[in-house]
Coordinates of all heavy atoms in Angstrom, one line a residue:
Chain E
L15 N -28.1 10.8 29.4 CA -26.8 10.4 29.9 C -26.4 9.0 29.3 O -25.3 8.8 29.0 CB -26.9 10.3 31.4 CG -25.6 10.4 32.2 CD1 -24.9 11.7 31.9 CD2 -25.9 10.4 33.7
A16 N -27.4 8.1 29.3 CA -27.1 6.8 28.9 C -26.7 6.8 27.4 O -25.8 6.1 27.0 CB -28.4 5.9 29.0
V17 N -27.5 7.5 26.6 CA -27.1 7.6 25.2 C -25.7 8.1 25.0 O -24.9 7.6 24.2 CB -28.2 8.5 24.4 CG1 -27.7 8.7 23.0 CG2 -29.5 7.7 24.4
A18 N -25.4 9.2 25.8 CA -24.1 9.8 25.6 C -23.0 8.8 26.1 O -22.0 8.6 25.4 CB -24.0 11.1 26.5
A19 N -23.3 8.1 27.2 CA -22.3 7.2 27.7 C -22.0 6.0 26.7 O -20.9 5.6 26.4 CB -22.7 6.6 29.0
V20 N -23.2 5.5 26.2 CA -23.1 4.4 25.2 C -22.3 4.8 24.0 O -21.5 4.1 23.4 CB -24.5 3.9 24.9 CG1 -24.4 2.9 23.7 CG2 -25.1 3.1 26.1
T21 N -22.6 6.1 23.5 CA -22.0 6.6 22.3 C -20.5 6.7 22.5 O -19.7 6.3 21.7 CB -22.5 8.0 21.9 OG1 -23.9 7.8 21.8 CG2 -22.0 8.5 20.7
V22 N -20.1 7.3 23.7 CA -18.7 7.5 24.0 C -18.0 6.1 24.1 O -16.9 5.9 23.5 CB -18.5 8.3 25.3 CG1 -17.1 8.2 25.8 CG2 -19.0 9.7 25.1
L23 N -18.6 5.2 24.9 CA -18.0 3.9 25.0 C -17.8 3.2 23.7 O -16.8 2.6 23.4 CB -18.8 3.0 26.0 CG -18.7 3.4 27.5 CD1 -19.7 2.6 28.3 CD2 -17.3 3.2 28.0
A24 N -18.9 3.3 22.9 CA -18.8 2.6 21.6 C -17.7 3.2 20.7 O -17.0 2.5 20.1 CB -20.2 2.7 20.9
Q25 N -17.6 4.5 20.8 CA -16.5 5.1 19.9 C -15.1 4.8 20.4 O -14.2 4.7 19.7 CB -16.7 6.7 19.9 CG -17.9 7.1 19.1 CD -17.8 8.5 18.6 OE1 -16.9 9.2 19.1 NE2 -18.6 8.9 17.6
R26 N -15.0 4.7 21.8 CA -13.7 4.4 22.3 C -13.2 3.0 22.2 O -12.1 2.7 21.9 CB -13.6 4.8 23.8 CG -13.6 6.3 24.1 CD -13.7 6.5 25.5 NE -12.5 6.0 26.2 CZ -11.3 6.7 26.3 NH1 -11.3 7.9 25.8 NH2 -10.3 6.2 27.0
E27 N -14.2 2.1 22.3 CA -13.7 0.7 22.5 C -13.9 -0.1 21.2 O -13.2 -1.1 21.1 CB -14.6 0.0 23.6 CG -14.4 0.7 24.9 CD -13.0 0.8 25.4 OE1 -12.2 -0.1 25.0 OE2 -12.7 1.7 26.2
Q28 N -14.8 0.2 20.3 CA -15.0 -0.7 19.2 C -14.9 0.0 17.9 O -15.4 1.1 17.7 CB -16.4 -1.3 19.3 CG -16.6 -2.2 20.5 CD -18.1 -2.6 20.6 OE1 -18.9 -2.3 19.7 NE2 -18.5 -3.2 21.7
P29 N -14.2 -0.7 16.9 CA -14.3 -0.2 15.6 C -15.8 -0.4 15.1 O -16.2 -1.5 15.1 CB -13.3 -1.0 14.8 CG -13.0 -2.2 15.6 CD -13.5 -1.9 17.0
P30 N -16.5 0.6 14.8 CA -17.9 0.5 14.5 C -18.1 -0.2 13.1 O -18.1 0.4 12.1 CB -18.5 1.9 14.5 CG -17.3 2.7 14.2 CD -16.1 2.0 14.6
R31 N -18.2 -1.5 13.1 CA -18.5 -2.2 11.9 C -19.9 -2.8 12.0 O -20.4 -3.2 13.0 CB -17.5 -3.4 11.8 CG -16.1 -3.0 11.7 CD -15.8 -2.4 10.3 NE -14.5 -1.8 10.3 CZ -14.2 -0.6 10.6 NH1 -15.1 0.2 11.0 NH2 -12.9 -0.2 10.5
S32 N -20.5 -2.7 10.8 CA -21.9 -3.3 10.8 C -21.8 -4.8 10.8 O -20.7 -5.4 10.5 CB -22.6 -2.9 9.5 OG -22.0 -3.4 8.4
S33 N -22.8 -5.5 11.1 CA -22.8 -7.0 11.0 C -22.9 -7.4 9.6 O -22.8 -8.6 9.3 CB -24.0 -7.5 11.8 OG -25.2 -7.0 11.3
G34 N -23.0 -6.5 8.7 CA -22.9 -6.8 7.3 C -24.3 -6.7 6.6 O -25.2 -7.4 7.0
S35 N -24.4 -5.8 5.6 CA -25.7 -5.7 4.9 C -25.8 -6.8 3.9 O -24.8 -7.5 3.6 CB -25.7 -4.3 4.2 OG -24.7 -4.3 3.2
R36 N -26.9 -6.8 3.3 CA -27.1 -7.8 2.2 C -26.1 -7.6 1.1 O -25.5 -8.6 0.6 CB -28.6 -7.7 1.7 CG -28.9 -8.6 0.5 CD -29.0 -10.0 1.0 NE -29.2 -10.9 -0.1 CZ -30.4 -11.3 -0.6 NH1 -31.5 -10.8 -0.1 NH2 -30.5 -12.1 -1.6
S37 N -25.9 -6.3 0.7 CA -25.0 -6.1 -0.4 C -23.5 -6.5 0.0 O -22.8 -7.0 -0.8 CB -25.0 -4.6 -0.8 OG -24.6 -3.8 0.2
Q38 N -23.2 -6.3 1.3 CA -21.9 -6.7 1.7 C -21.8 -8.3 1.7 O -20.7 -8.8 1.2 CB -21.6 -6.2 3.1 CG -21.4 -4.7 3.2 CD -21.2 -4.3 4.7 OE1 -22.1 -3.6 5.2 NE2 -20.2 -4.7 5.3
A39 N -22.8 -8.9 2.1 CA -22.8 -10.4 2.1 C -22.7 -10.9 0.6 O -21.9 -11.8 0.4 CB -24.1 -10.9 2.7
D40 N -23.4 -10.3 -0.3 CA -23.4 -10.7 -1.7 C -22.0 -10.4 -2.2 O -21.4 -11.3 -3.0 CB -24.4 -9.9 -2.5 CG -25.8 -10.3 -2.2 OD1 -26.0 -11.3 -1.5 OD2 -26.8 -9.6 -2.5

Side-chain angles (χ1 to χ4, degrees):
Chain E
L15 202 57
V17 169
V20 168
T21 306
V22 167
L23 286 173
Q25 286 204 345
R26 285 178 65 87
E27 301 303 333
Q28 294 175 8
R31 297 288 175 271
S32 69
S33 58
S35 68
R36 177 69 187 273
S37 63
Q38 288 174 251
D40 290 347

